[in-house]
Amino acid sequence: MRDKTQTNSAAPGDRLIRAGAIVFFAGAVATLVTVAPLFLHAKPFPTYMFGLSMLMGVGFLIAAAGVLRSIAAGRRQARAERPSA
């Protein structure tokens, strides 16, 4: 019997993981841009750039929430499919 899940269907938490990855990489780019003047002996960027570097942590937390949501949905599905004794 074929699996009931389609290959193109999105599991719970997938969007959070993708959004978290995007935010994380945006924070990584902001971190590189913020640190670059220190190595190039240029004028440092304004303080708000250091705040944008915090997006790495925010993105990590968003992705972690998506992973936890996906795990919880998988457990619920496994519990529902388990035959009762």
Side-chain angles (χ1 to χ4, degrees):
M1 189 159 115
R2 284 177 50 179
D3 190 18
K4 294 177 184 176
T5 305
Q6 297 177 0
T7 57
N8 61 354
S9 64
D14 282 355
R15 287 185 182 172
L16 280 174
I17 294 170
R18 287 188 185 120
I22 292 169
V23 172
F24 179 86
F25 286 118
V29 169
T31 300
L32 290 174
V33 168
T34 303
V35 174
L38 298 174
F39 294 112
L40 301 174
H41 303 291
K43 181 181 171 189
F45 284 103
T47 307
Y48 69 86
M49 286 298 292
F50 292 99
L52 287 177
S53 297
M54 298 297 171
L55 287 177
M56 285 179 67
V58 173
F60 183 78
L61 290 175
I62 292 170
V67 169
L68 292 176
R69 186 173 178 195
S70 179
I71 290 170
R75 285 185 176 184
R76 270 186 256 118
Q77 182 180 4
R79 213 175 293 135
E81 291 176 357
R82 184 176 22 171
S84 57

